[in-house]
Amino acid sequence: MRIANGADEYRVVQRAAEVEILPGTRTTVWGYDGTFPGPTFTARAGRTAKLTVVNTLPVPTSTHLHGGVTPPGSDGYPTDLLRPVHGGPKGPGAMPGMAGEAGGMSVLGERTYTYPMNQQAATLWYHDHRMDFTGPQIWRGLAGFFLVQDDIEGAVQLPRGDRDIPLMLCDRSFEADGSFRYPSLDSTLSRTPGVEPGYTDGVLGDVQLVNGAPWPIVEVTAATYRLRVLNASNARRYRLALRTSDDRGLPLVQVASDLGLLARPQALESITVTPAERFEFVVDFSHLAPGAEVTMVNTLASGAMGQVLRFRVTRRAKDFVPIPTRLVQLERLQPNEVATTRRFDFRMNADGMWTINGRPFTPSESWATPKLGTVERWRLTSDFHHPVHVHLARLQVLSRDGRPPQPADAGWKDTVDVRPWEVVEVLARFDGYRGRYMLHCHNLEHEDMAMMANFQVI
């Protein structure tokens, strides 16, 4: 990082690299700076950050700051392509008119994304967003954490330093030689988009990774820890819980959601985390003796995939940070603020395409025109599990099937879990910038199969 003209400037190179993920084998990843996950960036609210990305991969990319309040030109729109330094394919796939066209912008070699950081402290992440190929390109490694800090969060008594641990959860499958296994119709990711029949509901792996390592053991002291959990899987859902070696539960005390701190902590026995959601927890290991182990489990999976990672207590702690009783003053959006109500229906059409309101995505059309600075009520319905992500907007869940929101809905969200045949109402605030943004399902195979829609902030 360097500081120039009052902005924090970062530079990363998207490149292939050989890394050891499974013991004794080598896997080719596509990574930011050749790492999987990519580097963790830290930014300050109110201070501009600039991220220059150089593409040396064999395919185009588009980098999206997930959860960022970002000008449209730096949002990582799917057809705003960064082509490889050597030229490479000019288009994202077989669909005509999408080679950085139809309102997209194709750039050769490198580009700089500008993030003004006019938002509160939160755990964000950045990832590839290339049209038609987001799923396989994130599967190969193009994702990393982007943490935003501010003075308000800094004044809250939470674990810091090495007791503040980002955890990127994702599943992958591997071939016998250690290479990634993904059912692409075109393994070069240069021509035909899509996955093999049988995988259109979403691709699941059979190896659980945390920060790029399979089923890791994390050593902790007998103290409180802040865990920033991100589900970076293509399609896998987690219902996370903590279990001691004698099968007792340990509370997950949630302190933050996608876009920042809650008003007060809430202790949960378990919580469902869908693709792209982030949850922050404080976990108290202080009452455990050295040598004790705690396993984070996924009760939505069985066998090895039911295990996520283990914490091992190594020693007593000399200091202790208690879990606070209050966090921040959290604004609640009110239904009487609503300027208009819209409905977005997520389902597969008769042609086998994942659609929104019956229409497959096209970059040239817009599904809605919210006004800058207003609040809208969006009614989300579905035929399947769809984690719905809205760019730019900040969301608060109003109801599920006419009932109050669930504990996992607390706080400011940018991704909302919409379950089969469910009606979820959210209040969406549109602050920041005018321009073209999008909503989409963050099951990446659904997204790649056209389950996206534009909206124009006016």
Side-chain angles (χ1 to χ4, degrees):
M1 185 194 80
R2 69 169 191 155
I3 299 174
N5 299 318
D8 297 329
E9 297 187 352
Y10 302 90
R11 184 180 181 87
V12 292
V13 178
Q14 295 173 322
R15 61 181 177 87
E18 297 288 323
V19 302
E20 183 174 308
I21 298 176
L22 301 180
T25 66
R26 306 294 288 181
T27 301
T28 299
V29 302
W30 289 0
Y32 296 92
D33 282 349
T35 66
F36 170 53
T40 294
F41 299 111
T42 301
R44 192 79 188 169
R47 182 182 178 87
T48 297
K50 294 185 177 183
L51 177 64
T52 298
V53 180
V54 181
N55 182 7
T56 68
L57 298 171
V59 297
T61 63
S62 180
T63 299
H64 170 56
L65 178 59
H66 187 118
V69 180
T70 304
S74 291
D75 191 52
Y77 189 78
T79 57
D80 286 349
L81 299 176
L82 175 60
R83 292 167 52 202
V85 291
H86 53 72
K90 294 185 178 181
M95 287 186 170
M98 293 186 183
E101 300 165 290
M105 176 177 60
S106 180
V107 177
L108 180 65
E110 70 177 68
R111 69 170 297 171
T112 297
Y113 297 88
T114 299
Y115 306 134
M117 292 291 108
N118 293 322
Q119 58 191 110
Q120 66 190 53
T123 298
L124 310 185
W125 64 302
Y126 62 100
H127 60 78
D128 186 67
H129 211 284
R130 177 193 170 200
M131 181 74 192
D132 297 339
F133 293 95
T134 297
Q137 295 190 184
I138 290 181
W139 187 275
R140 296 190 187 194
L142 290 174
F145 278 103
F146 196 106
L147 310 181
V148 184
Q149 301 174 339
D150 65 15
D151 291 340
I152 295 175
E153 182 235 16
V156 178
Q157 194 173 32
L158 292 170
R160 308 284 177 188
D162 60 3
R163 295 181 187 169
D164 180 354
I165 307 177
L167 298 172
M168 179 185 286
L169 313 186
C170 62
D171 57 340
R172 296 290 187 266
S173 292
F174 298 84
E175 302 291 352
D177 63 0
S179 60
F180 284 129
R181 176 190 297 164
Y182 184 88
S184 294
L185 293 177
D186 171 16
S187 62
T188 70
L189 310 187
S190 62
R191 296 180 298 274
T192 305
V195 291
E196 298 171 0
Y199 293 93
T200 55
D201 284 349
V203 178
L204 302 178
D206 56 9
V207 176
Q208 176 61 52
L209 302 179
V210 181
N211 294 345
W215 296 287
I217 296 175
V218 178
E219 294 187 343
V220 296
T221 58
T224 50
Y225 278 74
R226 180 181 186 177
L227 307 179
R228 303 173 184 255
V229 174
L230 157 67
N231 182 355
S233 300
N234 283 34
R236 182 173 295 278
R237 296 159 55 85
Y238 297 85
R239 185 181 295 132
L240 298 178
L242 296 177
R243 295 284 184 266
T244 61
S245 53
D246 56 358
D247 204 31
R248 290 181 295 111
L250 198 63
L252 287 163
V253 181
Q254 186 188 358
V255 295
S257 188
D258 293 338
L259 293 176
L261 294 173
L262 306 182
R264 57 184 55 84
Q266 56 176 356
L268 306 170
E269 293 183 2
S270 65
I271 193 165
T272 299
V273 187
T274 64
E277 284 190 295
R278 287 91 64 212
F279 291 90
E280 296 184 30
F281 308 105
V282 173
V283 177
D284 184 2
F285 299 104
S286 66
H287 61 286
L288 300 177
E293 292 189 343
V294 176
T295 302
M296 180 178 284
V297 299
N298 175 20
T299 63
L300 295 180
S302 59
M305 294 305 293
Q307 311 293 310
V308 179
L309 76 157
R310 275 187 294 160
F311 297 97
R312 180 177 293 158
V313 179
T314 58
R315 63 187 184 279
R316 299 286 185 187
K318 295 181 179 180
D319 56 339
F320 176 76
V321 178
I323 299 175
T325 57
R326 297 187 62 84
L327 296 167
V328 296
Q329 185 172 352
L330 188 68
E331 178 188 6
R332 289 296 306 174
L333 301 181
Q334 301 300 322
N336 61 11
E337 300 179 63
V338 169
T340 191
T341 298
R342 306 182 195 272
R343 179 174 178 265
F344 296 97
D345 183 56
F346 293 73
R347 70 184 60 242
M348 181 176 282
N349 68 10
D351 296 325
M353 298 189 73
W354 292 107
T355 67
I356 301 179
N357 291 350
R359 300 156 62 186
F361 176 68
T362 173
S364 61
E365 296 184 30
S366 183
W367 276 243
T369 54
K371 293 182 179 179
L372 185 67
T374 63
V375 175
E376 296 192 352
R377 183 198 305 258
W378 284 13
R379 184 173 291 116
L380 311 175
T381 57
S382 71
D383 63 345
F384 194 74
H385 289 287
H386 296 300
V388 176
H389 172 49
V390 184
H391 290 212
L392 181 76
R394 298 201 300 162
L395 313 175
Q396 290 183 355
V397 178
L398 185 64
S399 66
R400 288 186 177 271
D401 287 333
R403 294 185 291 272
Q406 298 178 354
D409 297 321
W412 288 105
K413 303 284 292 176
D414 59 53
T415 305
V416 176
D417 182 18
V418 184
R419 300 153 192 160
W421 315 112
E422 188 176 42
V423 179
V424 181
E425 290 196 334
V426 301
L427 299 180
R429 170 177 280 173
F430 298 89
D431 288 333
Y433 305 93
R434 297 177 177 87
R436 179 178 61 176
Y437 295 91
M438 65 186 332
L439 67 149
H440 60 84
C441 178
H442 221 285
N443 178 316
L444 300 183
E445 283 68 49
H446 296 184
E447 176 182 340
D448 285 344
M449 295 170 64
M451 193 169 252
M452 302 191 291
N454 288 328
F455 62 89
Q456 189 82 21
V457 179
I458 60 174

